Amino acid sequence: MNSHKVISIRNLTPSTYVIRMEKKDFTFKTGQYITLGFSGSIDRREYSIYSAEQDDYLEVLIKEVEDGLLSKKLKKCKPGDVLDVDGAFGHFSLKEDEIKNKKFMFISTGTGISPIHSFIHTHPEMDYTLLHGIRHKNEAYESESYDPNRYILCTSGENTGDFNGRVTEYLLKNPVSPDTICYLCGNCHMIYEAYDILEKQGIKLGPIHTEVYF
């Protein structure tokens, strides 16, 4: 476990924020996660890495949970505070031999966009389409950082996105080409439903990668 100083906190909505920390000699593979907590405390939570591999800082995207003690405390961090980082962990990652010659579909809900953000900003040359499912447009976390021709915002709570409805409804109306590599990250209900839809559209088990957010 290593100690990292907080550089800044970026509030994206009243309940969602990005913590930027010094990177030091920390290394990871895009798509992986860390465990994070205050130095000296046993309270730890897992967060996907939001920043790119080549960034000279380390970032995580966090949503404050009503009964989540750590997410509330982390929101009050100030520059110079010290956090303990352990990891990186996980196998939700891209295959190097597919990055430049395959077509990708990234499907996420809420803060499940975090590892997708890392994928895209680590490898901006990828041929990808990104579906982000949220209720309200203000939850489109830093959507301006994606290529607008590749980013599709699906809003289910209001008609303010590129598509009014859930990401699964979008998939039903816009079938995915069977040669696409699909990555799903978000709540379990979306993942189960989207997985079934994609399989019925001809995408086999191998090209579908999932990461469940609770």
Side-chain angles (χ1 to χ4, degrees), residues 176-179 196-205 207-208:
V176 178
S177 172
D179 61 347
D196 287 342
I197 292 168
L198 293 169
E199 279 202 312
K200 288 174 182 175
Q201 291 178 356
I203 296 178
K204 303 302 180 186
L205 179 65
I208 304 177

Side-chain angles (χ1 to χ4, degrees), residues 83-118:
L83 299 176
D84 282 345
V85 173
D86 199 13
F89 306 108
H91 303 285
F92 186 68
S93 56
L94 301 168
K95 295 181 180 178
E96 292 294 331
D97 61 337
E98 294 178 341
I99 293 170
K100 292 185 178 179
N101 51 34
K102 292 288 185 180
K103 188 164 49 177
F104 293 87
M105 171 68 82
F106 298 124
I107 305 165
S108 63
T109 53
T111 53
I113 201 168
S114 186
I116 309 302
H117 179 277
S118 182

Side-chain angles (χ1 to χ4, degrees), residues 43-116:
D43 197 10
R44 299 275 186 274
R45 292 293 181 275
E46 297 173 354
Y47 297 106
S48 289
I49 298 169
Y50 187 66
S51 46
E53 288 180 12
Q54 65 271 24
D55 289 337
D56 60 1
Y57 49 79
L58 183 63
E59 286 186 335
V60 289
L61 173 66
I62 300 174
K63 184 173 179 65
E64 186 178 359
V65 181
E66 190 170 338
D67 58 352
L69 295 177
L70 187 59
S71 63
K72 289 179 179 293
K73 290 179 181 178
L74 288 171
K75 194 169 188 284
K76 298 176 182 177
C77 277
K78 295 179 175 59
D81 286 351
V82 177
L83 299 176
D84 282 345
V85 173
D86 199 13
F89 306 108
H91 303 285
F92 186 68
S93 56
L94 301 168
K95 295 181 180 178
E96 292 294 331
D97 61 337
E98 294 178 341
I99 293 170
K100 292 185 178 179
N101 51 34
K102 292 288 185 180
K103 188 164 49 177
F104 293 87
M105 171 68 82
F106 298 124
I107 305 165
S108 63
T109 53
T111 53
I113 201 168
S114 186
I116 309 302

Side-chain angles (χ1 to χ4, degrees), residues 83-203:
L83 299 176
D84 282 345
V85 173
D86 199 13
F89 306 108
H91 303 285
F92 186 68
S93 56
L94 301 168
K95 295 181 180 178
E96 292 294 331
D97 61 337
E98 294 178 341
I99 293 170
K100 292 185 178 179
N101 51 34
K102 292 288 185 180
K103 188 164 49 177
F104 293 87
M105 171 68 82
F106 298 124
I107 305 165
S108 63
T109 53
T111 53
I113 201 168
S114 186
I116 309 302
H117 179 277
S118 182
F119 283 161
I120 291 170
H121 289 78
T122 299
H123 301 287
E125 74 281 4
M126 282 191 301
D127 180 5
Y128 73 89
T129 299
L130 167 58
L131 291 185
H132 188 202
I134 54 175
R135 286 189 55 77
H136 305 289
K137 192 173 183 179
N138 73 325
E139 299 166 333
Y141 311 125
E142 301 188 313
S143 58
E144 70 280 358
S145 69
Y146 305 103
D147 182 342
N149 297 314
R150 298 179 178 276
Y151 176 84
I152 300 168
L153 182 65
C154 301
T155 52
S156 60
E158 58 189 24
N159 191 10
T160 52
D162 303 303
F163 178 82
N164 182 215
R166 302 178 186 277
V167 292
T168 47
E169 293 171 317
Y170 179 90
L171 291 172
L172 286 170
K173 294 181 179 181
N174 299 272
V176 178
S177 172
D179 61 347
T180 305
I181 308 294
C182 297
Y183 283 78
L184 283 58
C185 189
N187 71 73
C188 60
H189 302 294
M190 179 279 286
I191 287 180
Y192 297 149
E193 190 176 346
Y195 198 100
D196 287 342
I197 292 168
L198 293 169
E199 279 202 312
K200 288 174 182 175
Q201 291 178 356
I203 296 178

